[in-house]
Amino acid sequence: MPMKIFLKAVLVCLILQALPLNAATFKIATISPDGLSWMKKLRAGTKQIEDLTEGRVKFKIYPGGVQGDDTTVLRKMRIGQLHGGVVAAGSLTRFYPDLQIYNLPLQFRSGAEVEHVRGEMDQMIADGLSEAGIITFAFTETGFAYLMSKEPVTSVADLKSLKAWIPDGDPIAAELVKSFGVSPIPLNITDVLAGLQTGLINSIMAPPAVALALQWHNHVSYMTDLPLVYIYSMMAMDGKAFNRISDEDQLIVKTVMDRVFAEVEQDTRIDNERALQAISAVGIEALEVSADELVEWQSMADLSIRNLIQSGEISEESVLLYLTQLRGYRGEGGPD
C-alpha cells in the first residue's frame, strides 16, 4: 500500500509539472460580426499571444452578439461567465463615470485635437477603470457620430420632431438629446434596425461606418453634416481574471493587444471616410449647418455639459482638465 501511494503521488507530480503554470483561457465577447477586418486582427493577435506564452494564455472569442449586448456582456463578466468584452466606452460608466469625457458634444473639432487630448488623458481613464477592477488596453476610435434622419435637420428647432435613438444606459446621450428638446428612446443596439423599420425611431446618431455596417443607412434620407460627439471603444477584462496569469504573460497580452487596437484605430478612420462616401453615393443628402445655426447648436451642447456636471454624471475636475487640454492645443485661453 505505501508503494502504491508513493507511485500515485509521483504520477500526480508528473501531471502537475506537465501542466502550464498560471494557464488561462479567456472568454471574450463582442456584438461585432465575425469576419470584419478588425475581428481578423483580434484573432491574429490572440493567436500570437498563445504562441508567445507557449499555450499558457488562450482566448475564445464570441462575436456577433451571441453573448448579448454590451450591458449583458458586463453582467456576465461580473458573475464569471465571461472574462471580458470589446465594448463601447459608454457602457463602462458605472465603473468610472469620467471616461465619458471624450463624448462631450460638439467639443472636438478634428482628429488632431482628439490625438492630442487622448495622449494626455487616456492613461487617467485607464487608471480609473483599473481601480474599479477593469483592465483595458489601447482605446480604439469608433469615430465622430453624425445625426442621420428621415426628415431634414439643420437647426435646433428641427430637432423637435425627432424620435431619436440613444444607447440604453448612456447618460451622456440621454442628456444631450434632452438638452436639445428631444425625447430620447433608449434601445439596445441590436434593436435599432427594427426601430427604424417600424417607425419607433426616425433618427440615429452614429459614426458613418457603424451606420453602414448595420444597414441603418437604408432607413434614413438625410445626414446633418456636423460631427456631434466622438465615440470610442475598448477591450475590457475582469481584473481578477487577468491577474491570475503571471506578470510576464500579462505583459505579453498587453503588448500585443495595445498594438492590435492601435492598428484597428487606424483602419477605423479609413473605414469612416469610405463610409461617408458610400452614404453619399446611395443618395443620402448631407445638410450643411449655417454659422448662425451652429451658434445655437453649440449653446445647447454647452448647456448639456453643465447639466451633466450638476447632476453628478461627470466630475467638474475632469471637464476642466479636458477643456484646458483642448483649448491649450488650439492656443486659446483656459476654460471659462
Side-chain angles (χ1 to χ4, degrees), residues 24 54 67 86 96 102 112 128 161 213 217 220 238 241-242 282-283 307 313:
E54 299 179 336
Q67 291 284 350
V86 183
Y96 184 63
Y102 299 152
S161 63
H217 69 292
V220 296
D238 176 72
F242 186 71
V282 298
N307 290 341
E313 294 287 355

Side-chain angles (χ1 to χ4, degrees), residues 9-21:
V10 171
L11 181 60
V12 169
C13 289
L14 291 173
I15 292 173
L16 291 175
Q17 289 176 3
L19 292 174
L21 182 63

Side-chain angles (χ1 to χ4, degrees), residues 182-252:
V182 181
S183 297
I185 300 178
L187 294 171
N188 291 332
I189 194 169
T190 52
D191 297 326
V192 173
L193 182 58
L196 286 168
Q197 292 169 333
T198 61
L200 175 63
I201 56 175
N202 60 10
S203 59
I204 58 168
M205 187 172 65
V210 173
L212 195 66
L214 298 178
Q215 301 298 303
W216 297 346
H217 69 292
N218 290 326
H219 303 279
V220 296
S221 301
Y222 302 93
M223 184 188 79
T224 306
D225 194 7
L226 182 66
L228 291 173
V229 296
Y230 176 79
I231 300 175
Y232 70 113
S233 305
M234 65 184 75
M235 179 168 159
M237 291 189 63
D238 176 72
K240 291 181 180 179
F242 186 71
N243 288 329
R244 291 182 191 134
I245 62 176
S246 69
D247 291 346
E248 177 186 359
D249 287 346
Q250 287 181 31
L251 180 59
I252 291 173

Side-chain angles (χ1 to χ4, degrees), residues 71 73-79 89-100 129 132 134 169 171 313:
T71 301
V73 168
L74 293 172
R75 178 179 59 79
K76 290 183 177 181
M77 285 170 57
R78 188 168 63 250
I79 62 178
S91 65
L92 294 162
T93 53
R94 69 182 181 88
F95 297 100
Y96 184 63
D98 284 359
L99 63 78
Q100 302 169 99
L129 287 167
I134 298 294
E313 294 287 355

Side-chain angles (χ1 to χ4, degrees), residues 46-116:
T46 59
K47 178 62 170 65
Q48 184 180 17
I49 289 170
E50 183 177 343
D51 292 342
L52 290 173
T53 62
E54 299 179 336
R56 291 186 299 276
V57 180
K58 300 178 182 179
F59 286 82
K60 183 173 178 58
I61 310 297
Y62 297 90
V66 296
Q67 291 284 350
D69 61 9
D70 288 357
T71 301
T72 304
V73 168
L74 293 172
R75 178 179 59 79
K76 290 183 177 181
M77 285 170 57
R78 188 168 63 250
I79 62 178
Q81 290 183 359
L82 292 171
H83 304 113
V86 183
V87 298
S91 65
L92 294 162
T93 53
R94 69 182 181 88
F95 297 100
Y96 184 63
D98 284 359
L99 63 78
Q100 302 169 99
I101 196 73
Y102 299 152
N103 307 136
L104 296 180
L106 291 176
Q107 298 305 309
F108 284 129
R109 298 173 186 167
S110 68
E113 290 184 351
V114 170
E115 289 188 7
H116 171 76

Side-chain angles (χ1 to χ4, degrees), residues 254-272:
K254 180 169 177 53
T255 300
V256 173
M257 287 302 182
D258 282 348
R259 174 185 56 77
V260 165
F261 285 105
E263 292 176 359
V264 168
E265 178 162 274
Q266 295 304 313
D267 291 346
T268 298
R269 291 178 180 174
I270 295 172
D271 289 344
N272 274 313

Side-chain angles (χ1 to χ4, degrees), residues 130-189:
S130 179
E131 290 177 8
I134 298 294
I135 302 299
T136 60
F137 308 97
F139 304 157
T140 186
E141 179 175 299
T142 309
F144 284 102
Y146 292 80
L147 177 65
M148 302 180 195
S149 55
K150 296 189 177 184
E151 301 296 331
V153 174
T154 58
S155 69
V156 171
D158 293 334
L159 294 169
K160 308 297 182 183
S161 63
L162 295 185
K163 294 181 288 184
W165 164 67
I166 63 165
D168 196 15
D170 188 333
I172 285 268
E175 182 56 48
L176 174 61
V177 298
K178 285 190 291 187
S179 295
F180 280 83
V182 181
S183 297
I185 300 178
L187 294 171
N188 291 332
I189 194 169

